[in-house]
Amino acid sequence: MTDSRSSISPVDLAGWPRTEEEAVAEQVRLRPLVEAFGAVPPSAKGQGRGGERVLVAGVDVAYDDENDIVAAAAVLLDLHTLEVVEEATAVGRIAFPYVPGLLAFRELPAVIDALAALGRVPDLVVCDGYGLAHPRRLGLASHLGVLTGLRTLGVAKTPFTFSHQLPGAERGEWTPLVDDTTGEEVGRAVRTRAGVKPVFVSVGHRIGLAEAVDCVLALTPRYRLPETTRRADSLCRRALAELAGKPAEGVGRLVAESVGRSVPAF
DNA sequence: GCGACAG
DNA sequence: ATCTTGTCGC
């Protein structure tokens, strides 16, 4: 047993929220289950010793609103070499409209399907968006963590409703991301590349904020965004493009593809 | 009431 | 997210 879960189960769409009220109620129910502490993975096994590599998954989704289709991708990387170990995609119908604060209900069903299609369970999942930095402290990264038991963190490209001072220009410098309604630090604005706009990192589940920032810096040797995010973004767009013209009916909610050990050039 | 608002 | 021209830089 490598993690608290040895496999990932798809969500039951029959019980998925259909209204904003139901969605908010679900966030309030899950919020107390978030664990905002934990070391850089893996903490369950031997700290990366003995040749055991740390597997980090990047997830992202792309939409075709015209045809009501969503394509998700999960790309597994070795945290130390940043090599792609495995990748998987899943497609389905869009499960919820885009509502700021309720993004998880739109993205998670497809994201979890893609993660479930991987042959291995990631030690950490990097999400495109927020975790605890959320009006009700349950952004998509935290939501995904609570639903699957996986360790997660969020990396967003904009400050959402929070405030921050610009961090120093050097890579690695950061400032707190603050919720002005409570004064608490909900994340950090992190400079992943010298002289380039910062990204916004927050805790998802089972990891501390400082540890989450360390992981993000390890995943950004060259670009502003983590390699996990870049890889997943590229893959889900390709997966969506391959569905060109196909009607939403029939797409259902099928795992479209699962490719092991591929290292695509992009 | 109005604007802002992760992706 | 998605649409969408040209442009600067490695």
Side-chain angles (χ1 to χ4, degrees), chain A residues 3-200:
Chain A
D3 210 284
S4 56
R5 290 261 180 137
S6 56
S7 64
I8 299 163
S9 311
V11 299
D12 176 14
L13 282 180
W16 203 243
R18 301 162 85 184
T19 67
E20 295 190 18
E21 292 70 30
E22 291 172 359
V24 170
E26 177 71 346
Q27 292 181 328
V28 171
R29 183 178 77 81
L30 298 177
R31 173 189 169 181
L33 304 179
V34 176
E35 292 175 20
F37 52 86
V40 170
S43 54
K45 40 186 177 182
Q47 297 301 320
R49 298 273 175 226
E52 286 299 310
R53 53 183 176 179
V54 179
L55 301 176
V56 185
V59 292
D60 196 16
V61 297
Y63 301 97
D64 177 353
D65 287 286
E66 291 285 285
N67 295 301
D68 192 34
I69 289 175
V70 56
V75 179
L76 206 52
L77 305 192
D78 178 306
L79 178 59
H80 301 300
T81 66
L82 301 187
E83 288 175 52
V84 175
V85 172
E86 185 182 347
E87 52 186 20
T89 61
V91 297
R93 309 292 295 273
I94 296 176
F96 205 86
Y98 172 65
V99 179
L102 301 178
L103 183 61
F105 298 95
R106 180 172 172 80
E107 310 211 329
L108 290 192
V111 162
I112 292 173
D113 282 347
L115 283 169
L118 289 171
R120 282 153 284 199
V121 176
D123 295 301
L124 170 72
V125 181
V126 176
C127 297
D128 200 351
Y130 283 115
L132 285 182
H134 177 274
R136 288 168 293 279
R137 304 292 178 269
L138 196 84
L140 75 170
S142 296
H143 198 141
L144 174 64
V146 170
L147 251 36
T148 61
L150 296 170
R151 173 181 285 101
T152 64
L153 65 81
V155 178
K157 297 180 282 297
T158 67
F160 197 13
T161 61
F162 308 107
S163 64
H164 68 287
Q165 298 297 306
L166 283 177
E170 294 312 301
R171 166 178 153 78
E173 299 206 72
W174 58 269
T175 53
L177 182 66
V178 178
D179 181 336
D180 289 322
T181 68
T182 65
E184 66 185 304
E185 178 184 26
V186 294
R188 287 177 182 171
V190 181
R191 197 80 76 172
T192 54
R193 240 200 114 170
V196 173
K197 283 194 304 180
V199 295
F200 305 88

Side-chain angles (χ1 to χ4, degrees), chain A residues 202-252:
Chain A
S202 62
V203 167
H205 185 52
R206 297 176 55 209
I207 191 169
L209 183 53
E211 290 81 4
V213 169
D214 285 344
C215 287
V216 171
L217 286 173
L219 292 165
T220 50
R222 175 163 184 184
Y223 300 101
R224 178 189 179 224
L225 297 177
E227 286 304 305
T228 38
T229 301
R230 291 164 38 73
R231 239 82 201 208
D233 178 78
S234 171
L235 180 56
C236 69
R237 290 188 196 222
R238 271 179 282 147
L240 186 64
E242 285 175 20
L243 296 178
K246 296 183 181 177
E249 307 74 50
V251 169

